[in-house]
Amino acid sequence: MDDTTTGTRTPGADAAGWVRTWGASPQAPDSSVSRLDPFENATLRQFVRVSGGGSRVRIRLSNEYGTAPLTLGATRVALADAGHQVQEGSSHAVTFGGRPAVTVPAGAPVLSDPVDLPVPALSRLAISVHVPGRVDAATCHGTFHALGWITPGDATAAPSLPADAVPLPAQAFVSAVEVLPDRPGRAIAVLGDSRVDGIGSTPGTDRRWTDILAERLAGRDGTTRYVISQGIGGNRLLNDGVGTSALARFDRDVLATPGLGHVVIAVGGDLVFSFAPDTEVNAELLAMFGGEPVTVEDVVAAHLQLAARARAHGVKIHAATIAPYGGSEMYSADGDTAREQVNAWIRASGVFDGVLDFDAVWRDPADSSRIRAGFHMGDHLHGSDAGYDALARSVDLALFD
């Protein structure tokens, strides 16, 4: 049964066939890159670009790191227009179990009812959430690539927000968008760190390498492929730091992805932190990121564990080599040697269904320990728009056939 007012159907319809088209790994509000100041009675309007399209959409919101129940008074989804506006006639109310409001327990996510909103591939959605109560600890995602705004009261139905709407310093609550494909589709979930999350790319322009890969895959061979970035800046395979460790969040952020067909492992920070020089700057970073030093053998074992867990779910597993970082404040010769040892193993082990050799793409021909000029943001560690574009265009698309 359709509800022409809300654009939803009977809850529970279309239980099968959903595919995730966008995601952002939930993080605890415990650092400067993933924290919102306390607020109450406010609307948060956030913009995301989907990778592949579909005929219906549903939204996943998270209170997984909240310290109290979270009440959502009203939620709407629409196709985005310029600025913080929505396209005329595209705004739909979002319900939860047929109700416009929902209370999400602390530690839990919530998945909306399906909404009848055709979503083209690579389109931008505006997701507006009104929170009537006070929020002291918002589950966030520290981000450098998406746009969002906060304004007082319930402005979820407003076609545009007031000129004095305040930019959000992090994504809040929204952790995934799923669609019902019009044709067969599979999701590619990328487990990663800051280089997957796009630090160094131009904010708000969708120039992460995962975004560009989605553009390359759009409509290829009549099958839709959905690229999901599950990167967290500062994330590590084996230790918690900024974000739960990749090993610990793998089931939630990757294996639970609806429509999952492929997994890409692209987490390279463990060795960088473990072998970082003993400087005042690095001491502050290590205090923030936490964790004990790890070895090459530890990193290899982590990759083997992720590969085994992916195959147990019947999906293909790929790994990216670790790109250079010479010239950065974190660089050490011992760390670079360890990086090259892990890369040699990734290339030659035969463990993976495919290898994305990002080291080969980024390394300077004159100095293999460094990223070539123009491919990093200036810190010799994170990519530029050109650098991320080069990574995306180096990927053999046949890996995902």
Side-chain angles (χ1 to χ4, degrees):
M1 177 182 295
D2 286 340
D3 182 336
T4 56
T5 300
T6 64
T8 63
R9 294 181 185 174
T10 303
D14 300 319
W18 289 87
V19 181
R20 186 162 295 172
T21 185
W22 177 90
S25 300
Q27 294 176 245
D30 57 5
S31 75
S32 60
V33 297
S34 60
R35 178 182 293 279
L36 266 65
D37 291 333
F39 63 91
E40 62 182 317
N41 188 25
T43 293
L44 287 66
R45 177 167 291 175
Q46 299 170 80
F47 296 87
V48 303
R49 192 185 78 162
V50 303
S51 52
S55 59
R56 314 185 75 199
V57 63
R58 62 187 186 186
I59 312 298
R60 182 183 174 99
L61 299 109
S62 174
N63 191 30
E64 290 166 79
Y65 294 102
T67 56
L70 170 69
T71 296
L72 307 177
T75 303
R76 297 188 74 90
V77 62
L79 296 175
D81 212 333
H84 41 62
Q85 302 182 38
V86 302
Q87 291 186 24
E88 185 177 356
S90 71
S91 181
H92 289 72
V94 176
T95 60
F96 304 87
R99 299 177 178 181
V102 64
T103 297
V104 189
V110 65
L111 186 64
S112 80
D113 300 331
V115 177
D116 286 321
L117 175 64
V119 177
L122 307 177
S123 59
R124 295 176 72 239
L125 295 180
I127 301 169
S128 302
V129 178
H130 174 235
V131 182
R134 179 178 172 86
V135 176
D136 291 307
T139 298
C140 295
H141 178 81
T143 184
F144 303 89
H145 55 82
L147 297 177
W149 306 84
I150 184 168
T151 191
D154 182 359
T156 54
S160 62
L161 296 180
D164 59 354
V166 178
L168 284 169
Q171 287 175 317
F173 308 131
V174 182
S175 64
V177 176
E178 298 166 5
V179 293
L180 195 64
D182 296 315
R183 55 187 179 181
R186 302 296 285 172
I188 304 162
V190 183
L191 182 72
D193 50 28
S194 55
R195 288 166 168 175
V196 171
D197 209 25
I199 293 180
S201 63
T202 303
T205 61
D206 303 306
R207 292 294 89 189
R208 300 173 297 174
W209 70 261
T210 52
D211 297 319
I212 301 165
L213 178 62
E215 294 171 6
R216 294 186 65 209
L217 287 166
R220 184 171 183 265
D221 299 336
T223 299
T224 304
R225 294 165 181 83
Y226 301 79
V227 183
I228 320 303
S229 173
Q230 298 290 16
I232 295 177
N235 202 225
R236 301 173 69 175
L237 277 168
L238 292 133
N239 291 298
D240 291 348
V242 176
T244 306
S245 73
L247 280 173
R249 66 186 179 91
F250 187 55
D251 285 20
R252 179 197 68 183
D253 291 349
V254 175
L255 296 184
T257 300
L260 184 65
H262 299 264
V263 174
V264 178
I265 304 169
V267 186
D270 294 70
L271 298 174
V272 174
F273 294 119
S274 295
F275 290 91
D278 185 13
T279 67
E280 183 177 346
V281 171
N282 288 343
E284 293 178 359
L285 290 172
L286 291 172
M288 179 188 298
F289 296 136
E292 296 296 321
V294 302
T295 66
V296 168
E297 291 74 21
D298 293 331
V299 173
V300 168
H303 279 77
L304 289 169
Q305 176 62 208
L306 293 172
R309 288 160 65 183
R311 289 215 166 86
H313 277 70
V315 299
K316 292 189 175 182
I317 182 78
H318 314 276
T321 55
I322 305 169
Y325 67 109
S328 75
E329 293 182 337
M330 302 290 285
Y331 177 80
S332 73
D334 288 342
D336 197 52
T337 297
R339 178 186 69 85
E340 291 182 340
Q341 290 173 348
V342 170
N343 284 347
W345 175 81
I346 289 174
R347 294 184 184 106
S349 68
V351 168
F352 305 102
D353 295 293
V355 172
L356 286 63
D357 200 348
F358 288 171
D359 169 54
V361 177
W362 268 13
R363 65 177 177 240
D364 188 332
D367 184 348
S368 63
S369 72
R370 291 175 174 258
I371 302 174
R372 66 176 65 204
F375 277 13
H376 64 84
M377 64 177 288
D379 65 352
H380 301 274
L381 182 63
H382 299 102
S384 62
D385 286 351
Y388 290 126
D389 185 84
L391 294 185
R393 298 192 185 283
S394 74
V395 177
D396 180 3
L397 300 186
L399 292 176
F400 307 116
D401 289 342

